[in-house]
């Protein structure tokens, strides 16, 4: 057991509790039925097509599967991200490339591909609505007329107390929300490591995800600590972005705003490559800004 835990700790990416929980076909089918209003009872109807090498910010993309003639991309987010349509565009392109890999795009026969649906399960603290939509076209600069390329992402808020009908239909999702809420409750007053351990023990006692938590206790604790840390780090980044934007209003210049944001990110130990990507500048420029702070 000790060797297995060490191997897990040394991985180059992190799973999430959500991904681990719903990688189980029965749980995933229950979630799909709850979201879609379907009544499938055979988990083998799901064809899992998750791309194992699709990694963003050190974490894997969550779940992709085909059922019937549709392809579903399910993602979990603990902070609000308006760029999910762009991320899903990259992901669905890779999925389609994989699906038609051995077929000719130059054929006179029309290739058929499964229709995509994009859903995010959100349990952050910034947004309070039950659900909302984001569109790829929101990212287009100077869009005139109808967009020639569009992608729509539905986000469902899975915090405890929201989307009650969905939660009633999927027991596993409801209990996952209860577990997350329990971690946050303890984390307000205790060291994060202790908070997560207490939350796991409490949920087991109260029969909340008890079988799953007993079987995967050490890994769930490790993943939950990582997830909570990541959630807090992203909140700090958003605060830094906001403060840099406010400063830009007084300094009156895009470069000044980006430089301030770069410095703020660097102080939060964000890698310079990620800073440059987020601010859409050359890495060398980002390094210069950070070095001249």
């Amino acid at each position: 057991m000790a060797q297995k835990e060490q191997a897990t700790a040394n991985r180059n990416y992190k799973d999430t509790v959500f991904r681990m929980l719903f990688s189980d076909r029965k749980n995933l089918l229950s979630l799909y039925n709850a979201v879609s209003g379907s009544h499938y009872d055979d988990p083998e109807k799901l064809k899992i097509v998750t791309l194992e090498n699709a990694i963003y910010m050190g974490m894997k993309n969550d779940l992709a599967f085909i059922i019937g003639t549709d392809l579903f991309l399910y993602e979990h987010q603990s902070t609000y991200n308006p760029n999910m349509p762009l991320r899903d565009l990259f992901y669905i392109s890779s999925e389609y490339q994989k699906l038609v890999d051995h077929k000719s795009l130059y054929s006179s026969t029309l290739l058929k591909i499964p229709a995509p649906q994009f859903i995010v399960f959100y349990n952050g603290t910034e947004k309070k609505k039950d659900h909302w939509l984001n569109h790829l076209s929101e990212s287009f600069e100077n869009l005139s007329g109808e967009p020639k390329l569009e992608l729509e992402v539905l986000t469902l808020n899975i915090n405890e107390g929201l989307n009650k009908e969905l939660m009633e239909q999927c027991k596993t999702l409801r209990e996952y929300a209860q577990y997350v809420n329990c971690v946050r409750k303890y984390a307000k007053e205790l060291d994060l490591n202790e908070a997560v351990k207490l939350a796991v023990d409490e949920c087991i006692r109260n029969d909340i995800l008890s079988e799953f938590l007993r079987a995967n206790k050490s890994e769930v604790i490790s993943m939950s600590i990582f997830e909570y840390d990541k959630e807090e780090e992203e909140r700090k980044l958003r605060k830094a972005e906001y403060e840099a934007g406010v400063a830009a209003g007084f300094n009156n210049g895009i470069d000044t705003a980006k430089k301030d944001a770069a410095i703020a990110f660097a102080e939060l130990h964000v890698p310079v490559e990620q800073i440059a990507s987020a601010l859409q500048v050359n890495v060398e420029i980002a390094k210069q800004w950070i070095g001249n702070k």
Side-chain angles (χ1 to χ4, degrees):
M1 178 62 74
Q3 287 184 333
K4 181 179 178 181
E5 289 180 356
Q6 183 65 34
T8 299
N10 286 336
R11 291 182 305 186
N12 292 324
Y13 62 86
K14 292 284 186 180
D15 269 331
T16 64
V17 175
F18 181 92
R19 187 180 192 274
M20 185 178 182
L21 187 60
F22 288 102
S23 290
D24 179 283
R25 284 176 181 269
K26 290 182 180 179
N27 291 341
L28 182 56
L29 183 63
S30 173
L31 180 59
Y32 167 75
N33 282 336
V35 171
S36 66
S38 302
H39 302 282
Y40 286 93
D41 56 10
D42 181 6
E44 295 304 313
K45 295 287 185 181
L46 294 172
K47 179 183 177 183
I48 307 298
V49 294
T50 306
L51 301 175
E52 291 304 313
N53 63 343
I55 299 172
Y56 176 78
M57 295 288 283
M59 300 181 75
K60 278 191 174 185
N61 286 80
D62 290 321
L63 300 161
F65 62 95
I66 295 173
I67 187 165
T69 58
D70 289 344
L71 193 163
F72 294 84
L73 299 186
Y74 282 2
E75 285 287 330
H76 165 258
Q77 291 287 304
S78 58
T79 54
Y80 173 63
N81 186 344
N83 296 307
M84 286 307 302
L86 187 56
R87 281 183 55 187
D88 276 337
L89 175 65
F90 297 150
Y91 194 96
I92 195 64
S93 297
S94 297
E95 283 285 0
Y96 283 150
Q97 186 174 8
K98 178 182 174 184
L99 288 173
V100 302
D101 190 37
H102 299 294
K103 300 176 182 178
S104 174
L105 292 178
Y106 299 96
S107 170
S108 59
T109 303
L110 180 66
L111 293 181
K112 296 291 186 177
I113 53 177
Q117 295 197 35
F118 308 93
I119 297 178
V120 172
F121 297 90
Y122 168 84
N123 67 344
T125 56
E126 302 103 317
K127 291 273 191 175
K128 306 298 182 184
K129 296 190 295 183
D130 273 6
H131 58 84
W132 61 88
L133 295 172
N134 289 105
H135 295 86
L136 179 65
S137 57
E138 294 165 15
S139 298
F140 297 160
E141 291 189 61
N142 303 318
L143 176 65
S144 60
E146 291 297 315
K148 302 301 187 289
L149 176 66
E150 188 60 285
L151 189 154
E152 180 179 276
V153 178
L154 169 65
T155 298
L156 300 172
N157 194 328
I158 58 170
N159 278 295
E160 191 174 19
L162 294 172
N163 276 309
K164 294 181 179 179
E165 184 176 349
L166 174 65
M167 296 297 192
E168 288 172 4
Q169 295 296 320
C170 184
K171 178 175 181 287
T172 304
L173 185 64
R174 180 173 70 251
E175 293 185 358
Y176 170 74
Q178 291 172 328
Y179 167 71
V180 171
N181 192 56
C182 193
V183 171
R184 287 177 176 159
K185 175 186 71 176
Y186 283 119
K188 289 179 181 178
E189 300 178 356
L190 300 171
D191 172 79
L192 182 56
N193 289 32
E194 185 65 20
V196 172
K197 291 174 184 176
L198 285 173
V200 169
D201 289 340
E202 180 177 314
C203 287
I204 290 174
R205 286 197 308 273
N206 294 332
D207 198 26
I208 298 170
L209 296 181
S210 54
E211 184 177 341
F212 171 77
L213 292 175
R214 284 194 186 96
N216 305 283
K217 186 173 182 178
S218 62
E219 189 163 10
V220 167
I221 289 172
S222 174
M223 287 188 293
S224 295
I225 291 170
F226 174 83
E227 285 186 73
Y228 198 89
D229 275 341
K230 178 176 177 290
E231 183 179 337
E232 289 299 303
E233 189 68 14
E234 288 184 355
R235 284 202 192 95
K236 292 176 184 177
L237 287 174
R238 291 178 187 280
K239 183 174 182 291
E241 281 183 322
Y242 174 78
E243 290 175 348
V246 170
F250 293 101
N251 291 320
N252 197 22
I254 294 175
D255 285 346
T256 301
K258 288 187 176 183
K259 179 179 179 180
D260 289 344
I263 292 171
F265 290 162
E267 290 174 348
L268 294 171
H269 307 294
V270 178
V272 66
E273 291 79 8
Q274 291 181 17
I275 294 174
S277 177
L279 299 177
Q280 297 182 328
V281 298
N282 186 279
V283 172
E284 294 304 316
I285 293 176
K287 287 180 178 178
Q288 183 180 357
W289 285 342
I290 294 167
N292 293 336
K293 64 181 178 178

